[in-house]
Amino acid sequence: MDHDARWRPRDRRGGTCGYTFRGKTCEKKAAHYCEPRADRVVRFFAELLVHTKGPHKRKPFVLKDWQEHEIVRPLFGEVLWSAEYGCYVRRYRIAYIVVARKNGKSELAAGLLLYLLVGDDEESAEVYGAAADTKQAGKVFEPALRMMQLQPLLTKRLKHNKNARRLIDEKTASYYEIITADAEGELGHNPHGFCLDEVLSQPDGSLWQALTTAVGARLQELLFAITTETNDSASFGADLIDEADRVMEDPKRAPHIFAYVRKAPRSRDELDRLHRVFPGHPDLPVSLDPWDEANWKWPNPGLDQFKSRDAMRRQALEARGDPHKENGFLQFQLNVRVQQVTRYIPMDLWDANAGEIAATPEWVRVRLVGEQCWAGLDLSSKFDMTAWALLFADGSVLWRFWVPESVVPVLDEHTNGKFSQWVADGWVTATDGNVIDYETVYDAIEEDHGDFVIIDVTYDKWCGEPVRQEVEDRTGLDMIESGTTYERMTAPMTELMRMLKAGELKHYANPVARWMADNLEAKHPTDDPDRVRPVKPDRKKSGKRIDGMPALCFAIDGSLAVDEGGAAADIF
């Protein structure tokens, strides 16, 4: 692997690195991959740690290629200049590792926590291993303790407090201990290292939030989560895993987060996305068949190393034909979320359909004045977001979004402050008070009716009769009722994906639409996977919004109806 080819921020600050390990000195400048730093961690594993169980027990912990080059080296070797501290520090502060069970996650995590405890040159380091309960947390602590007991140098340096379940390094006044899901009692920590094991078992995100918000007083803390896929798409674990998937696909999304996610694909679109994101990777799955062994290595990088292929074959044999066992096999052995809800739009496809980059919404509007289009309206409650989309014959899309001003701070929390900037830049209209001013919506639709040749408006029947009447009275436009059912959404959502793959859409990098496309999840019924509909997020529990995507699908629905009716020649 060419570690220098990894994407990193364009940060030119900093002089020559100068970090030296065993006679090798890094001469690079600015943000870079520092090989000697990575070498030190790799040698720590090989020379000070041993495996604690299985066929490799008591043997030196020599990292496998995927552990070394796809996790450990980038995690510890990527550095950038800190103007605050006047030195180079680790780029990654948060890491997500998501693989199927029995791939050595716990032993790898134990080794990383031991390094953060005694090998990272941190005085008074606080290192924590956390999980839903003490038993689960012990699955990482116990291997770490056993590694210490089997290495004389570590045994001499570290003390084990059995009652407190704590390893103590008196030389640096550092310690590693277990904490559990009682987040209210964990707010006084100052972590240098933290591992949350099996995120799928966490009742909520309070413990993760308590520790990730406690950082700020360390030079280069590292907080990481290791897990297998969850079966609850509405859980904290699902949100974390989905975010890891997004970061792995687009590192620019969060340059300080490292993501290693290996899941078997559930659809052809997911399979295609993997082959685009990881071109030429030798372990990529070749199909969607869960029983084909050629597809097992991707979600199980430790297969034939830590994980027995024969054991997996036996589990596959038992699971095949038994729905209950099949779901367990898919979730735990292939790292698949066993629900019919999946992310719908690969963001590399979305970004490839930007066309020209619009600096402002008006820049797009003036280019499309007088053109023919179809409209889609997704009118939510007065207390949240409403979206209006116009789809033009050349694939251009123009959106309008409205929210009550009271919602802006809430959505700011979930977009790192971007939402209020989108309001300031004109991508979203915030109306006064706690509810949307519908008159503002009607005025904007009337303005668009004057600027463009709108063929018809497809709208969600949830909008109600008063909305239909008001728009018709003001514009005379044909209003066509629709909904987010399988029957109405399968065709437009399938067409949307086709347009993205063919490069026929032009969204001009609308930042609000991109956020919504990234949030869009779709559901397929078990009896007919070709049918699809969007899944609207719970607005009370999530900062996600997708309103612009149903609005676009409504507009696409209108365009498809024209094509099916054979009227396109009459219009154009």
Side-chain angles (χ1 to χ4, degrees):
M1 178 176 290
D2 182 2
H3 292 286
D4 290 324
R6 176 179 291 267
W7 180 90
R8 57 183 58 88
R10 292 184 178 180
D11 189 341
R12 299 184 181 279
R13 295 175 298 170
T16 300
C17 176
Y19 188 91
T20 299
F21 177 70
R22 294 188 177 175
K24 183 187 295 183
T25 301
C26 180
E27 303 292 344
K28 297 174 184 175
K29 299 179 180 180
H32 65 278
Y33 167 69
C34 177
E35 187 173 358
R37 294 175 201 260
D39 286 348
R40 182 179 180 182
V41 186
V42 172
R43 298 318 305 168
F44 177 86
F45 271 81
E47 297 175 17
L48 287 176
L49 304 182
V50 296
H51 291 287
T52 62
K53 61 185 71 173
H56 300 283
K57 61 182 182 295
R58 295 178 179 263
K59 294 181 181 179
F61 199 147
V62 177
L63 294 167
K64 300 302 181 183
D65 282 350
W66 64 275
Q67 294 176 312
E68 177 180 346
H69 294 287
E70 298 187 52
I71 298 178
V72 173
R73 283 192 175 275
L75 197 54
F76 288 88
E78 286 288 322
V79 298
L80 43 73
W81 180 257
S82 170
E84 182 178 16
Y85 294 112
C87 62
Y88 283 100
V89 296
R90 280 196 293 270
R91 164 186 159 190
Y92 295 118
R93 301 308 177 92
I94 293 176
Y96 302 133
I97 300 173
V98 186
V99 295
R101 285 189 174 174
K102 304 302 180 183
N103 280 279
K105 294 191 300 293
S106 296
E107 285 211 338
L108 179 62
L112 294 177
L113 290 174
L114 284 173
Y115 180 82
L116 293 171
L117 176 65
V118 301
D120 213 25
D121 298 328
E122 181 73 15
E123 289 291 324
S124 300
E126 297 177 24
V127 178
Y128 301 102
D133 51 46
T134 302
K135 182 178 180 180
Q136 183 64 47
K139 292 185 178 180
V140 175
F141 183 84
E142 296 299 335
L145 173 62
R146 187 60 177 156
M147 289 176 187
M148 180 207 81
Q149 294 170 338
L150 293 174
Q151 170 50 258
L153 290 176
L154 291 178
T155 302
K156 183 177 180 181
R157 178 161 173 171
L158 297 175
K159 305 299 181 184
H160 176 215
N161 184 324
K162 186 175 182 180
N163 291 332
R165 305 203 76 175
R166 174 183 285 198
L167 296 180
I168 303 167
D169 180 11
E170 294 180 344
K171 180 179 179 179
T172 61
S174 301
Y175 62 84
Y176 162 32
E177 72 174 14
I178 285 177
I179 57 177
T180 55
D182 181 15
E184 291 182 357
E186 311 303 342
L187 297 178
H189 297 306
N190 178 19
H192 172 62
F194 171 62
C195 170
L196 182 60
D197 186 23
E198 290 299 8
V199 173
L200 78 164
S201 301
Q202 287 294 306
D204 53 46
S206 55
L207 180 57
W208 179 252
Q209 184 178 17
L211 272 295
T212 54
T213 56
V215 300
R218 298 289 182 179
L219 180 68
Q220 49 180 7
E221 74 282 346
L222 177 61
L223 315 179
F224 59 99
I226 60 174
T227 191
T228 301
E229 183 58 277
T230 177
N231 64 354
D232 182 359
S233 61
S235 65
F236 158 69
D239 287 344
L240 184 144
I241 293 168
D242 288 347
E243 178 62 16
D245 219 0
R246 290 177 170 94
V247 171
M248 185 183 67
E249 181 181 291
D250 179 17
K252 297 186 288 296
R253 177 186 180 90
H256 67 292
I257 296 178
F258 172 83
Y260 180 84
V261 183
R262 294 292 183 265
K263 301 191 295 182
R266 294 180 54 191
S267 69
R268 185 72 208 184
D269 291 333
E270 288 185 16
L271 179 62
D272 291 344
R273 179 179 68 89
L274 287 177
H275 281 264
R276 289 194 306 271
V277 175
F278 300 97
H281 197 292
D283 297 335
L284 284 170
V286 298
S287 71
L288 302 178
D289 183 358
W291 315 114
D292 186 345
E293 293 189 22
N295 300 322
W296 290 358
K297 184 68 171 176
W298 181 254
N300 293 282
L303 191 63
D304 303 319
Q305 297 170 348
F306 311 121
K307 186 167 185 172
S308 165
R309 184 177 292 270
D310 284 342
M312 193 167 175
R313 283 171 178 156
R314 290 193 295 271
Q315 292 182 35
L317 185 63
E318 292 179 10
R320 199 165 187 172
D322 184 329
H324 178 70
K325 290 184 178 180
E326 180 177 339
N327 282 346
F329 182 82
L330 291 174
Q331 180 182 354
F332 299 121
Q333 305 303 323
L334 296 183
N335 212 23
V336 169
R337 187 171 304 170
V338 189
Q339 283 197 345
Q340 279 66 56
V341 176
T342 59
R343 284 182 64 203
Y344 193 64
I345 299 179
M347 294 314 292
D348 64 319
L349 279 185
W350 183 264
D351 292 339
N353 280 265
E356 298 179 79
I357 309 299
T360 67
E362 287 304 314
W363 184 90
V364 182
R365 293 184 61 85
V366 297
R367 294 165 65 96
L368 297 171
V369 169
E371 297 295 325
Q372 294 172 315
C373 59
W374 295 268
L377 176 62
D378 185 57
L379 189 67
S380 0
S381 71
K382 290 184 177 182
F383 304 98
D384 215 323
M385 178 171 280
T386 286
W388 165 260
L390 298 175
L391 173 65
F392 294 82
D394 69 345
S396 293
V397 186
L398 179 65
W399 281 274
R400 289 184 186 268
F401 302 101
W402 299 269
V403 292
E405 62 180 1
S406 61
V407 176
V408 173
V410 177
L411 295 181
D412 255 345
E413 294 178 6
H414 297 279
T415 57
N416 295 321
K418 293 177 182 177
F419 198 85
S420 58
Q421 188 61 52
W422 294 336
V423 173
D425 292 342
W427 298 103
V428 180
T429 298
T431 64
D432 294 339
N434 297 322
V435 299
I436 291 177
D437 179 2
Y438 280 178
E439 290 299 316
T440 304
V441 176
Y442 298 142
D443 289 345
I445 292 176
E446 193 171 2
E447 179 185 350
D448 284 352
H449 176 55
D451 288 342
F452 312 110
V453 180
I454 301 177
I455 298 167
D456 56 40
V457 181
T458 304
Y459 69 101
D460 190 343
K461 61 183 179 181
W462 191 91
C463 295
E465 184 64 15
V467 173
R468 184 194 67 78
Q469 290 181 358
E470 186 67 25
V471 173
E472 284 190 346
D473 289 346
R474 288 192 179 213
T475 65
L477 288 168
D478 290 333
M479 299 288 289
I480 303 170
E481 185 179 273
S482 186
T484 55
T485 62
Y486 288 119
E487 287 70 23
R488 294 310 300 266
M489 286 287 100
T490 294
M493 287 188 69
T494 302
E495 175 65 7
L496 171 59
M497 183 59 69
R498 188 203 65 77
M499 293 175 72
L500 288 171
K501 289 181 177 180
E504 296 178 1
L505 203 70
K506 288 190 286 188
H507 52 69
Y508 302 99
N510 183 307
V512 187
R514 186 185 193 278
W515 171 57
M516 292 177 174
D518 197 18
N519 291 334
L520 181 62
E521 293 182 332
K523 186 170 184 177
H524 303 263
T526 55
D527 60 340
D528 189 354
D530 290 332
R531 299 166 72 204
V532 61
R533 64 174 177 83
V535 177
K536 289 203 172 186
D538 186 333
R539 299 175 190 273
K540 294 181 181 179
K541 298 181 180 180
S542 170
K544 297 177 180 179
R545 298 294 185 276
I546 65 167
D547 308 77
M549 295 300 104
L552 173 56
C553 286
F554 289 145
I556 293 174
D557 194 22
S559 72
L560 292 175
V562 169
D563 290 341
E564 291 168 3
D570 296 332
I571 295 170
F572 298 105

